[in-house]
Amino acid sequence: MTDLTLPARIGRPKPRTGRFGAAVAWSVLIGAGLACLLAPVLWPLDESAVDLARTRLAPSWAHPAGTDDLGRDVAHRSLYGLRVSLLVGAVAALVATVIGGLVGAVAGTLGGWVDRVLMRVVDTIAALPHLLLGIFIVAMLRPSLGAVILSIGLTHWLSTARIVRSELLSLRNRPFVDAAISGGAGRVRVITRHLLPHVLPRLALATTLMVPHAVWHETALSFLGLGLPPHLASVGNMINDGQRSLLTGAWWASIVPGLLLVVVTLALAVLTGRWRDRLDPRVRAELHL
């Protein structure tokens, strides 16, 4: 008897929860981005100005998120701090992607003893705690914007190197690569015209996935007092400064920037996860996209 049962996936409605989450994440990121960009125009205040007559004021119409222990507006300073933290995270993620991409490309293309040596270096660095290694790098260079970016970039390239290496190792034996070599293409042409186009989407995805992690790493360094200079507004510096006000009941000085950071990084994670699912054909087939 013929089995007329349809596969379970046929006729399955497309998931709507993922679309709703992506829409919310886009709304959060666009709103936060516009607020950070337009803050100097719509809210022309000095984020570092001290007003000791208005210290630790509770949230009000004049100060929607209150003031800190130096009389600085928390909401205004949070927008500036988020802008600095996102900038540091994006640049650091780009630096880490470039380093990891180069190491992975060399290991995956040359192979042999070069691949073994580079992968042992990757395993050795991966065995060290990233935060402790980042603290060591910042301490050697003295806290500054460039030192924090370099610290994050030098400690977060390992996963990218492994991704690029594994992708190139799987592509080297594909029929189209053998056909290009048989047609007289040199190694440089094979890499630039046939291998890199397949790796670039993975690199872009690795960069976007790394941005939230880099932002949190910068926040942790600043919270420990080893990140950005204290006078420069960043989410980590604000949380570090606001912990002194918690004992006096001024919770908003640290909770507001921390909550803003959590919401924005969660939105980034949702969008990058959605993009990763669309790039992976197996996940795309499961989701019936």
Side-chain angles (χ1 to χ4, degrees):
M1 181 175 180
T2 305
D3 187 5
L4 299 179
T5 304
L6 294 176
R9 254 191 337 111
I10 295 180
R12 181 191 301 175
K14 296 183 180 180
R16 299 184 181 274
T17 55
R19 294 180 179 179
F20 177 75
V24 173
W26 273 117
S27 300
V28 170
L29 287 182
I30 293 174
L34 289 176
C36 292
L37 291 175
L38 298 178
V41 178
L42 302 178
W43 208 347
L45 298 175
D46 185 1
E47 73 276 8
S48 300
V50 175
D51 189 357
L52 297 180
R54 302 190 175 196
T55 59
R56 297 173 183 170
L57 294 179
S60 61
W61 285 108
H63 302 283
T67 61
D68 60 9
D69 56 350
L70 294 179
R72 298 171 296 192
D73 190 277
V74 174
H76 182 259
R77 191 169 168 82
S78 295
L79 294 178
Y80 277 85
L82 181 63
R83 183 169 59 177
V84 172
S85 296
L86 289 177
L87 175 63
V88 171
V91 176
L94 185 61
V95 171
T97 301
V98 171
I99 297 174
L102 290 176
V103 173
V106 172
T109 303
L110 298 181
W113 66 269
V114 177
D115 180 25
R116 292 192 294 271
V117 170
L118 290 177
M119 287 302 101
R120 295 299 77 77
V121 172
V122 170
D123 294 338
T124 302
I125 298 177
L128 302 174
H130 287 176
L131 184 58
L132 293 180
L133 187 59
I135 291 174
F136 175 77
I137 295 174
V138 172
M140 292 292 293
L141 300 175
R142 288 187 291 185
S144 64
L145 186 65
V148 172
I149 293 175
L150 188 61
S151 168
I152 299 173
L154 291 177
T155 56
H156 290 74
W157 57 271
L158 308 174
S159 60
T160 304
R162 287 170 172 163
I163 291 172
V164 173
R165 172 185 175 269
S166 62
E167 193 74 14
L168 289 178
L169 288 178
S170 65
L171 290 172
R172 285 196 311 176
N173 300 323
R174 297 288 180 87
F176 68 89
V177 176
D178 295 334
I181 295 176
S182 301
R187 174 175 291 181
V188 175
R189 182 176 178 84
V190 170
I191 294 174
T192 56
R193 297 295 300 273
H194 300 281
L195 296 181
L196 281 182
H198 290 81
V199 177
L200 287 179
R202 298 285 182 179
L203 284 176
L205 179 60
T207 304
T208 54
L209 286 172
M210 202 180 303
V211 170
H213 189 67
V215 171
W216 279 101
H217 194 88
E218 180 277 323
T219 303
L221 288 175
S222 298
F223 177 76
L224 295 174
L226 294 170
L228 301 178
H231 69 276
L232 187 62
S234 73
V235 176
N237 282 339
M238 293 188 65
I239 296 175
N240 187 22
D241 295 339
Q243 64 178 339
R244 297 190 298 266
S245 302
L246 287 175
L247 298 177
T248 62
W251 51 267
W252 51 85
S254 59
I255 297 299
V256 171
L259 184 61
L260 182 63
L261 177 66
V262 169
V263 171
V264 172
T265 51
L266 278 178
L268 282 172
V270 168
L271 292 179
T272 52
R274 180 83 171 168
W275 186 21
R276 178 189 57 198
D277 294 342
R278 288 186 175 275
L279 285 179
D280 192 338
R282 293 170 299 179
V283 178
R284 186 168 64 241
E286 293 175 2
L287 294 178
H288 194 53
L289 295 176

